[in-house]
Coordinates of all heavy atoms in Angstrom, one line a residue:
M1 N -3.1 -6.9 -11.3 CA -3.3 -8.2 -11.9 C -3.9 -9.1 -10.9 O -3.6 -9.1 -9.7 CB -1.7 -8.6 -12.3 CG -1.6 -10.1 -12.6 SD -1.4 -11.2 -11.1 CE -0.2 -10.2 -10.1
T2 N -4.8 -10.0 -11.4 CA -5.5 -11.0 -10.7 C -5.4 -12.3 -11.4 O -5.5 -12.2 -12.6 CB -6.9 -10.6 -10.3 OG1 -6.9 -9.4 -9.7 CG2 -7.6 -11.7 -9.5
R3 N -5.2 -13.4 -10.8 CA -5.1 -14.6 -11.5 C -6.1 -15.6 -10.7 O -6.1 -15.8 -9.6 CB -3.7 -15.1 -11.3 CG -3.3 -16.3 -12.2 CD -1.8 -16.5 -12.0 NE -1.0 -15.3 -12.2 CZ -0.2 -14.9 -11.2 NH1 -0.2 -15.4 -10.0 NH2 0.4 -13.7 -11.4
L4 N -6.9 -16.3 -11.6 CA -7.9 -17.3 -11.0 C -7.2 -18.6 -11.0 O -6.6 -19.1 -12.0 CB -9.1 -17.4 -11.9 CG -9.9 -16.0 -11.9 CD1 -11.2 -16.2 -12.8 CD2 -10.4 -15.6 -10.6
V5 N -7.2 -19.4 -9.8 CA -6.5 -20.6 -9.7 C -7.5 -21.5 -9.2 O -8.2 -21.4 -8.1 CB -5.3 -20.4 -8.7 CG1 -4.6 -21.7 -8.4 CG2 -4.4 -19.4 -9.2
E6 N -7.5 -22.7 -9.8 CA -8.4 -23.8 -9.3 C -7.5 -24.9 -8.6 O -6.6 -25.4 -9.3 CB -9.2 -24.4 -10.5 CG -10.1 -25.5 -10.1 CD -11.0 -25.8 -11.3 OE1 -11.7 -24.9 -11.9 OE2 -11.0 -27.0 -11.7
L7 N -7.8 -25.2 -7.5 CA -7.0 -26.3 -6.8 C -8.0 -27.4 -6.4 O -9.1 -27.2 -6.1 CB -6.3 -25.7 -5.6 CG -5.4 -24.6 -5.8 CD1 -5.0 -23.9 -4.4 CD2 -4.2 -24.9 -6.6
D8 N -7.4 -28.6 -6.4 CA -8.2 -29.8 -6.0 C -7.7 -30.6 -4.8 O -8.3 -31.5 -4.4 CB -8.5 -30.6 -7.2 CG -7.2 -31.4 -7.7 OD1 -6.1 -31.0 -7.2 OD2 -7.3 -31.9 -8.8
A9 N -6.5 -30.1 -4.2 CA -6.1 -30.8 -3.0 C -7.0 -30.5 -1.8 O -7.6 -29.5 -1.7 CB -4.7 -30.2 -2.7
T10 N -7.1 -31.5 -0.9 CA -8.0 -31.4 0.2 C -7.1 -31.4 1.5 O -7.8 -31.5 2.6 CB -9.0 -32.4 0.2 OG1 -8.4 -33.7 0.3 CG2 -9.9 -32.4 -0.9
G11 N -5.8 -31.4 1.4 CA -5.0 -31.4 2.7 C -3.7 -30.8 2.4 O -3.3 -30.4 1.2
P12 N -2.9 -30.6 3.5 CA -1.5 -30.0 3.3 C -0.5 -30.9 2.7 O -0.6 -32.2 2.8 CB -1.2 -29.7 4.8 CG -1.9 -30.6 5.5 CD -3.1 -31.1 4.9
R13 N 0.5 -30.4 2.3 CA 1.7 -31.1 1.8 C 2.7 -30.8 3.0 O 3.1 -29.6 3.2 CB 2.3 -30.6 0.6 CG 3.6 -31.1 0.2 CD 3.8 -32.4 -0.4 NE 5.1 -32.8 -0.6 CZ 5.7 -33.2 -1.9 NH1 4.8 -33.1 -3.0 NH2 6.8 -33.5 -2.0
K14 N 3.1 -31.9 3.7 CA 4.2 -31.5 4.8 C 5.6 -31.6 4.1 O 5.9 -32.6 3.4 CB 4.1 -32.7 5.9 CG 2.7 -32.5 6.5 CD 2.6 -33.4 7.7 CE 1.3 -33.3 8.3 NZ 1.1 -34.4 9.4
L15 N 6.3 -30.6 4.4 CA 7.8 -30.6 3.9 C 8.6 -31.5 4.5 O 8.5 -31.6 5.8 CB 8.2 -29.2 3.9 CG 7.4 -28.1 3.2 CD1 8.1 -26.7 3.2 CD2 7.3 -28.5 1.6
S16 N 9.5 -32.1 4.0 CA 10.6 -33.0 4.5 C 11.9 -32.6 4.0 O 12.0 -31.9 3.0 CB 10.3 -34.5 4.2 OG 10.5 -34.6 2.7
P17 N 12.9 -33.1 4.6 CA 14.3 -32.7 4.1 C 14.6 -33.0 2.7 O 15.4 -32.3 2.1 CB 15.3 -33.6 5.1 CG 14.3 -33.8 6.3 CD 13.0 -33.9 5.9
E18 N 14.0 -34.1 2.2 CA 14.1 -34.4 0.8 C 13.6 -33.4 -0.1 O 13.8 -33.4 -1.4 CB 13.4 -35.8 0.5 CG 14.0 -37.0 1.2 CD 13.6 -37.1 2.6 OE1 12.5 -36.7 3.0 OE2 14.4 -37.5 3.5
D19 N 12.7 -32.5 0.4 CA 12.2 -31.4 -0.5 C 13.0 -30.3 -0.7 O 12.8 -29.4 -1.5 CB 10.9 -30.9 0.1 CG 9.8 -31.9 0.1 OD1 9.6 -32.6 -0.8 OD2 9.1 -31.9 1.1
L20 N 14.2 -30.5 0.0 CA 15.2 -29.2 -0.2 C 15.8 -29.4 -1.6 O 16.2 -30.5 -2.2 CB 16.4 -29.3 0.8 CG 16.0 -28.8 2.2 CD1 17.2 -29.2 3.2 CD2 15.6 -27.4 2.1
D21 N 16.1 -28.2 -2.3 CA 16.7 -28.2 -3.5 C 18.2 -28.6 -3.3 O 18.8 -27.8 -2.5 CB 16.5 -26.8 -4.2 CG 17.2 -26.7 -5.5 OD1 18.3 -27.0 -5.7 OD2 16.3 -26.4 -6.5
D22 N 18.7 -29.5 -4.0 CA 20.1 -30.0 -3.7 C 21.0 -28.9 -4.1 O 22.1 -28.8 -3.4 CB 20.4 -31.2 -4.6 CG 19.6 -32.4 -4.1 OD1 19.2 -32.4 -2.8 OD2 19.5 -33.4 -4.7
E23 N 20.8 -28.1 -5.1 CA 21.7 -27.2 -5.6 C 21.7 -25.8 -4.8 O 22.6 -25.2 -4.4 CB 21.5 -26.8 -7.0 CG 21.8 -28.0 -8.0 CD 21.6 -27.5 -9.4 OE1 21.4 -26.4 -9.8 OE2 21.5 -28.5 -10.2
K24 N 20.4 -25.4 -4.5 CA 20.3 -24.1 -3.9 C 20.1 -24.3 -2.2 O 20.3 -23.3 -1.5 CB 19.0 -23.4 -4.3 CG 19.0 -23.1 -5.7 CD 17.7 -22.4 -6.3 CE 17.9 -22.2 -7.7 NZ 16.5 -21.7 -8.1
G25 N 19.8 -25.5 -1.8 CA 19.7 -25.7 -0.5 C 18.4 -25.1 0.3 O 18.4 -24.9 1.5
D26 N 17.5 -24.8 -0.5 CA 16.2 -24.2 0.2 C 15.0 -24.8 -0.6 O 15.1 -25.7 -1.4 CB 16.1 -22.6 -0.2 CG 16.1 -22.2 -1.6 OD1 16.1 -23.2 -2.5 OD2 16.1 -21.1 -1.9
V27 N 13.8 -24.5 -0.2 CA 12.5 -24.9 -0.7 C 11.8 -23.7 -1.2 O 11.6 -22.7 -0.5 CB 11.6 -25.6 0.5 CG1 10.4 -26.0 -0.2 CG2 12.3 -26.9 1.0
A28 N 11.5 -23.8 -2.5 CA 10.8 -22.7 -3.1 C 9.3 -23.1 -3.3 O 8.9 -24.1 -3.9 CB 11.3 -22.4 -4.5
V29 N 8.4 -22.5 -2.5 CA 7.0 -22.7 -2.4 C 6.3 -21.9 -3.4 O 6.5 -20.5 -3.5 CB 6.4 -22.5 -1.1 CG1 4.9 -22.7 -1.1 CG2 7.1 -23.4 0.0
C30 N 5.5 -22.4 -4.3 CA 4.7 -21.6 -5.4 C 3.8 -20.7 -4.8 O 2.9 -21.0 -3.9 CB 4.0 -22.6 -6.3 SG 3.0 -21.8 -7.6
Q31 N 3.8 -19.5 -5.2 CA 2.8 -18.4 -4.8 C 2.0 -18.0 -6.0 O 1.0 -17.1 -5.7 CB 3.5 -17.3 -4.1 CG 4.2 -17.6 -2.9 CD 4.7 -16.5 -2.2 OE1 4.0 -15.8 -1.3 NE2 6.0 -16.0 -2.5
C32 N 2.3 -18.4 -7.2 CA 1.5 -18.0 -8.4 C 0.4 -18.9 -8.6 O -0.6 -18.6 -9.4 CB 2.5 -17.7 -9.6 SG 2.9 -19.4 -10.3
G33 N 0.4 -20.2 -8.2 CA -0.6 -21.1 -8.4 C -0.5 -21.9 -9.8 O -1.4 -22.6 -10.1
L34 N 0.5 -21.7 -10.5 CA 0.6 -22.3 -11.8 C 1.4 -23.5 -11.8 O 1.6 -24.1 -12.9 CB 1.1 -21.1 -12.8 CG 0.3 -20.1 -13.1 CD1 0.8 -19.0 -14.0 CD2 -1.2 -20.4 -13.5
S35 N 2.2 -23.8 -10.8 CA 3.2 -24.9 -10.8 C 2.5 -26.3 -11.0 O 1.5 -26.6 -10.4 CB 3.9 -24.9 -9.5 OG 4.8 -25.9 -9.4
D36 N 3.1 -27.1 -11.9 CA 2.7 -28.5 -12.0 C 3.2 -29.3 -10.8 O 2.9 -30.4 -10.7 CB 3.3 -29.0 -13.4 CG 2.5 -28.4 -14.6 OD1 1.3 -28.1 -14.4 OD2 3.1 -28.4 -15.6
S37 N 4.1 -28.7 -10.1 CA 4.6 -29.5 -8.9 C 4.1 -28.9 -7.6 O 4.8 -28.9 -6.6 CB 6.2 -29.4 -8.9 OG 6.7 -29.9 -10.1
F38 N 3.0 -28.2 -7.6 CA 2.5 -27.5 -6.4 C 2.4 -28.3 -5.3 O 2.1 -29.5 -5.5 CB 1.0 -27.1 -6.9 CG 0.5 -26.0 -5.9 CD1 0.7 -24.6 -6.1 CD2 -0.3 -26.2 -4.8 CE1 0.3 -23.7 -5.2 CE2 -0.7 -25.4 -4.0 CZ -0.5 -24.0 -4.1
P39 N 2.9 -27.9 -4.1 CA 3.1 -26.6 -3.7 C 4.5 -26.0 -4.0 O 4.9 -24.9 -3.6 CB 2.9 -26.6 -2.2 CG 3.4 -28.0 -1.8 CD 3.1 -28.9 -3.1
F40 N 5.2 -26.8 -4.8 CA 6.6 -26.4 -5.1 C 6.7 -25.5 -6.3 O 6.0 -25.9 -7.4 CB 7.6 -27.4 -5.1 CG 7.6 -28.3 -3.9 CD1 7.1 -29.6 -3.9 CD2 8.1 -27.9 -2.7 CE1 7.1 -30.4 -2.8 CE2 8.1 -28.5 -1.6 CZ 7.6 -29.8 -1.5
C41 N 7.5 -24.5 -6.4 CA 7.7 -23.7 -7.6 C 8.5 -24.6 -8.6 O 9.5 -25.3 -8.3 CB 8.6 -22.6 -7.2 SG 9.2 -21.6 -8.7
D42 N 7.9 -24.6 -9.8 CA 8.7 -25.4 -11.0 C 9.1 -24.3 -12.1 O 9.5 -24.8 -13.1 CB 7.7 -26.4 -11.4 CG 6.6 -25.9 -12.3 OD1 6.4 -24.7 -12.2 OD2 5.9 -26.8 -12.9
G43 N 9.0 -23.0 -11.8 CA 9.4 -22.1 -12.8 C 8.3 -21.5 -13.7 O 8.4 -20.7 -14.4
S44 N 7.0 -22.0 -13.4 CA 5.9 -21.7 -14.3 C 5.5 -20.2 -14.0 O 4.9 -19.6 -14.9 CB 4.7 -22.6 -14.0 OG 5.0 -23.9 -14.4
H45 N 6.0 -19.7 -12.9 CA 5.6 -18.2 -12.7 C 6.3 -17.3 -13.7 O 5.8 -16.1 -13.9 CB 6.3 -17.8 -11.3 CG 7.6 -17.9 -11.2 ND1 8.2 -19.1 -10.6 CD2 8.7 -17.2 -11.5 CE1 9.5 -19.0 -10.6 NE2 9.8 -17.8 -11.2
R46 N 7.2 -17.8 -14.5 CA 7.7 -17.0 -15.6 C 6.7 -16.5 -16.6 O 6.8 -15.5 -17.2 CB 8.9 -17.7 -16.3 CG 10.0 -17.9 -15.4 CD 11.3 -18.6 -16.1 NE 12.3 -18.9 -15.2 CZ 12.5 -20.2 -14.7 NH1 11.7 -21.2 -15.2 NH2 13.4 -20.6 -13.9
R47 N 5.6 -17.3 -16.7 CA 4.6 -17.0 -17.6 C 3.8 -15.8 -17.3 O 2.9 -15.3 -18.1 CB 3.6 -18.3 -17.7 CG 4.3 -19.5 -18.3 CD 3.5 -20.7 -18.2 NE 2.2 -20.6 -18.8 CZ 1.1 -21.4 -18.5 NH1 1.2 -22.3 -17.5 NH2 0.0 -21.2 -19.2
T48 N 3.9 -15.3 -16.0 CA 3.2 -14.2 -15.5 C 4.0 -12.9 -15.7 O 3.5 -11.9 -15.3 CB 2.9 -14.4 -14.0 OG1 4.0 -14.3 -13.2 CG2 2.1 -15.8 -13.8
A49 N 5.2 -13.0 -16.2 CA 6.1 -11.8 -16.2 C 5.4 -10.6 -16.9 O 5.7 -9.4 -16.6 CB 7.3 -12.1 -16.9
D50 N 4.6 -10.9 -17.9 CA 4.1 -9.7 -18.8 C 2.7 -9.4 -18.4 O 2.0 -8.7 -19.2 CB 4.3 -10.0 -20.2 CG 3.6 -11.2 -20.8 OD1 3.1 -12.0 -19.8 OD2 3.4 -11.3 -22.0
E51 N 2.1 -9.9 -17.3 CA 0.7 -9.6 -17.0 C 0.5 -8.1 -16.7 O 1.4 -7.4 -16.1 CB 0.4 -10.5 -15.7 CG 0.2 -12.0 -15.9 CD -0.2 -12.7 -14.8 OE1 -0.1 -12.2 -13.6 OE2 -0.6 -13.8 -14.9
D52 N -0.6 -7.7 -17.1 CA -1.0 -6.2 -16.8 C -1.6 -6.2 -15.4 O -2.6 -7.0 -15.2 CB -2.0 -5.8 -18.0 CG -2.3 -4.3 -17.8 OD1 -2.5 -3.8 -16.6 OD2 -2.5 -3.7 -18.9
A53 N -1.3 -5.2 -14.7 CA -1.8 -5.1 -13.2 C -3.2 -5.0 -13.3 O -3.8 -5.1 -12.2 CB -1.0 -3.9 -12.6
D54 N -3.9 -4.3 -14.3 CA -5.3 -4.1 -14.2 C -6.2 -5.2 -14.8 O -7.4 -5.0 -14.9 CB -5.6 -2.8 -15.0 CG -4.9 -1.6 -14.4 OD1 -4.8 -1.6 -13.1 OD2 -4.4 -0.7 -15.1
E55 N -5.6 -6.3 -15.1 CA -6.3 -7.4 -15.8 C -6.5 -8.7 -14.8 O -5.8 -8.8 -13.9 CB -5.6 -7.9 -17.1 CG -5.5 -6.9 -18.1 CD -6.7 -6.5 -18.9 OE1 -7.9 -7.1 -18.5 OE2 -6.8 -5.6 -19.8
T56 N -7.4 -9.5 -15.2 CA -7.6 -10.8 -14.5 C -7.4 -11.9 -15.5 O -7.9 -11.8 -16.6 CB -9.0 -10.8 -13.9 OG1 -9.2 -9.9 -12.8 CG2 -9.3 -12.2 -13.2
Y57 N -6.6 -12.9 -15.1 CA -6.1 -13.9 -16.1 C -6.6 -15.3 -15.6 O -6.7 -15.7 -14.5 CB -4.6 -14.0 -16.1 CG -4.1 -12.7 -16.7 CD1 -3.7 -11.6 -15.9 CD2 -3.9 -12.5 -18.1 CE1 -3.1 -10.5 -16.4 CE2 -3.3 -11.3 -18.6 CZ -3.0 -10.3 -17.7 OH -2.5 -9.2 -18.2
V58 N -6.9 -16.1 -16.7 CA -7.1 -17.5 -16.4 C -6.1 -18.3 -17.3 O -5.9 -17.9 -18.4 CB -8.6 -18.0 -16.8 CG1 -8.7 -19.5 -16.9 CG2 -9.6 -17.4 -15.8
Y59 N -5.4 -19.2 -16.7 CA -4.5 -20.1 -17.3 C -5.1 -21.5 -17.4 O -5.5 -22.0 -16.3 CB -3.2 -20.2 -16.5 CG -2.3 -18.9 -16.6 CD1 -2.7 -17.8 -15.7 CD2 -1.2 -18.8 -17.5 CE1 -1.9 -16.7 -15.7 CE2 -0.5 -17.7 -17.5 CZ -0.8 -16.6 -16.6 OH -0.1 -15.5 -16.7
E60 N -5.2 -22.0 -18.6 CA -5.9 -23.3 -18.8 C -5.4 -23.9 -20.1 O -5.4 -23.2 -21.1 CB -7.5 -22.8 -18.8 CG -8.5 -23.8 -19.3 CD -9.9 -23.1 -19.1 OE1 -10.2 -22.2 -19.8 OE2 -10.5 -23.6 -18.2
N61 N -5.2 -25.1 -19.9 CA -4.8 -26.0 -21.1 C -3.5 -25.4 -21.9 O -3.4 -25.3 -23.1 CB -5.9 -26.2 -22.2 CG -7.0 -27.0 -21.5 OD1 -6.8 -27.8 -20.6 ND2 -8.2 -26.7 -21.8
G62 N -2.6 -24.8 -21.1 CA -1.4 -24.2 -21.7 C -1.6 -22.8 -22.2 O -0.8 -22.3 -22.9
E63 N -2.9 -22.2 -22.2 CA -3.2 -21.0 -22.8 C -3.5 -19.9 -21.6 O -3.9 -20.4 -20.5 CB -4.4 -21.1 -23.7 CG -4.2 -22.0 -24.8 CD -3.2 -21.6 -25.9 OE1 -3.2 -20.3 -26.1 OE2 -2.6 -22.3 -26.4
R64 N -3.3 -18.8 -22.0 CA -3.7 -17.6 -20.9 C -4.7 -16.8 -21.7 O -4.6 -16.5 -22.9 CB -2.5 -16.8 -20.6 CG -2.8 -15.6 -19.7 CD -1.6 -14.9 -19.3 NE -1.1 -14.1 -20.4 CZ 0.0 -13.3 -20.4 NH1 0.7 -13.3 -19.3 NH2 0.4 -12.6 -21.3
R65 N -5.8 -16.4 -20.9 CA -6.8 -15.4 -21.5 C -7.1 -14.5 -20.4 O -7.1 -14.7 -19.2 CB -7.9 -16.3 -22.1 CG -8.7 -17.1 -21.0 CD -9.8 -17.8 -21.7 NE -10.3 -19.0 -20.9 CZ -11.3 -18.8 -20.2 NH1 -12.1 -17.7 -20.1 NH2 -11.7 -19.7 -19.4
V66 N -7.6 -13.4 -20.8 CA -8.1 -12.3 -19.9 C -9.6 -12.5 -19.7 O -10.3 -12.7 -20.7 CB -7.8 -10.9 -20.5 CG1 -8.4 -9.8 -19.7 CG2 -6.3 -10.7 -20.7
V67 N -10.1 -12.4 -18.5 CA -11.5 -12.5 -18.3 C -11.9 -11.3 -17.5 O -11.1 -10.5 -16.9 CB -11.7 -13.8 -17.4 CG1 -11.4 -15.1 -18.2 CG2 -11.0 -13.8 -16.0
D68 N -13.3 -11.1 -17.4 CA -13.8 -10.0 -16.6 C -13.5 -10.4 -15.1 O -13.5 -11.5 -14.6 CB -15.4 -10.0 -16.7 CG -15.7 -9.4 -18.0 OD1 -15.0 -8.7 -18.7 OD2 -16.9 -9.8 -18.5
R69 N -13.3 -9.3 -14.3 CA -12.9 -9.6 -12.9 C -14.1 -10.1 -12.2 O -15.2 -9.7 -12.4 CB -12.6 -8.2 -12.3 CG -11.9 -8.4 -10.8 CD -11.2 -7.1 -10.5 NE -10.4 -7.3 -9.3 CZ -11.0 -7.5 -8.1 NH1 -12.3 -7.5 -8.0 NH2 -10.2 -7.7 -7.1
V70 N -13.7 -11.1 -11.3 CA -14.7 -11.7 -10.5 C -14.9 -11.0 -9.2 O -13.9 -10.8 -8.5 CB -14.4 -13.3 -10.2 CG1 -15.3 -13.9 -9.1 CG2 -14.3 -14.0 -11.5
V71 N -16.1 -10.6 -8.8 CA -16.3 -9.9 -7.5 C -16.8 -10.8 -6.4 O -17.9 -11.5 -6.8 CB -17.1 -8.7 -7.8 CG1 -17.4 -7.9 -6.4 CG2 -16.5 -7.7 -8.8
T72 N -16.3 -10.9 -5.5 CA -16.8 -11.8 -4.4 C -17.7 -11.1 -3.5 O -17.8 -9.9 -3.5 CB -15.5 -12.3 -3.4 OG1 -15.0 -11.3 -2.8 CG2 -14.6 -13.2 -4.3
D73 N -18.5 -11.8 -2.7 CA -19.5 -11.2 -1.8 C -18.8 -10.2 -0.9 O -19.4 -9.2 -0.6 CB -20.1 -12.2 -1.0 CG -21.2 -13.0 -1.8 OD1 -21.5 -12.5 -2.8 OD2 -21.7 -14.1 -1.3
D74 N -17.5 -10.5 -0.4 CA -16.9 -9.6 0.6 C -16.6 -8.3 -0.1 O -16.6 -7.2 0.6 CB -15.6 -10.3 1.0 CG -15.8 -11.5 1.9 OD1 -16.9 -11.6 2.4 OD2 -14.8 -12.2 2.1
E75 N -16.2 -8.4 -1.4 CA -15.9 -7.1 -2.1 C -17.1 -6.3 -2.5 O -17.0 -5.1 -2.8 CB -15.1 -7.4 -3.4 CG -13.8 -8.0 -3.0 CD -13.0 -8.3 -4.3 OE1 -13.5 -9.3 -5.0 OE2 -12.0 -7.8 -4.6
S76 N -18.2 -6.9 -2.6 CA -19.5 -6.1 -3.1 C -20.2 -5.3 -2.1 O -21.1 -4.5 -2.3 CB -20.3 -7.2 -3.9 OG -20.8 -7.9 -3.0
E77 N -19.8 -5.6 -0.9 CA -20.5 -4.8 0.3 C -20.0 -3.4 0.4 O -18.9 -3.1 0.2 CB -20.3 -5.7 1.6 CG -21.0 -7.1 1.5 CD -20.7 -7.9 2.7 OE1 -20.0 -7.4 3.6 OE2 -21.2 -9.0 2.8
Ligands
FES101 S1 5.9 -19.3 -8.0 FE1 4.5 -20.5 -9.0 S2 5.8 -21.7 -10.2 FE2 7.1 -20.5 -9.3

């Protein structure tokens, strides 16, 4: 499974004590790229639960679609 993610941030988000989840006492950082609260996990990763390991996905406007795999210069050598 591969997921294409488009980000527009140009700098880091520094974590502060206020970023701790009051109930769980931790900070969950998004690793799927789909969170509307990026860099924090908002549960959007649940949408990836049924992804096929051999496919590449684009998530856009609330929809998911399968696309041809993108090959970067590093991989084509
Ligand atoms: S890991 Fe991305 S929303 Fe949870």
Side-chain angles (χ1 to χ4, degrees):
M1 165 278 312
T2 302
R3 193 173 312 117
L4 300 176
V5 178
E6 183 176 304
L7 301 173
D8 59 8
T10 58
R13 165 89 182 242
K14 295 181 180 175
L15 301 180
S16 66
E18 293 79 36
D19 292 321
L20 285 175
D21 185 304
D22 292 337
E23 293 178 16
K24 297 178 183 171
D26 62 3
V27 175
V29 176
C30 175
Q31 295 188 94
C32 75
L34 298 176
S35 176
D36 288 334
S37 302
F38 198 83
F40 302 112
C41 171
D42 69 355
S44 294
H45 59 266
R46 294 184 189 102
R47 298 168 59 202
T48 69
D50 63 345
E51 289 180 346
D52 185 320
D54 297 326
E55 299 287 0
T56 297
Y57 297 91
V58 170
Y59 288 79
E60 166 176 73
N61 300 324
E63 302 288 326
R64 176 178 74 184
R65 60 189 165 90
V66 174
V67 296
D68 290 336
R69 188 162 192 290
V70 175
V71 178
T72 63
D73 285 346
D74 292 344
E75 292 176 294
S76 63
E77 294 175 357

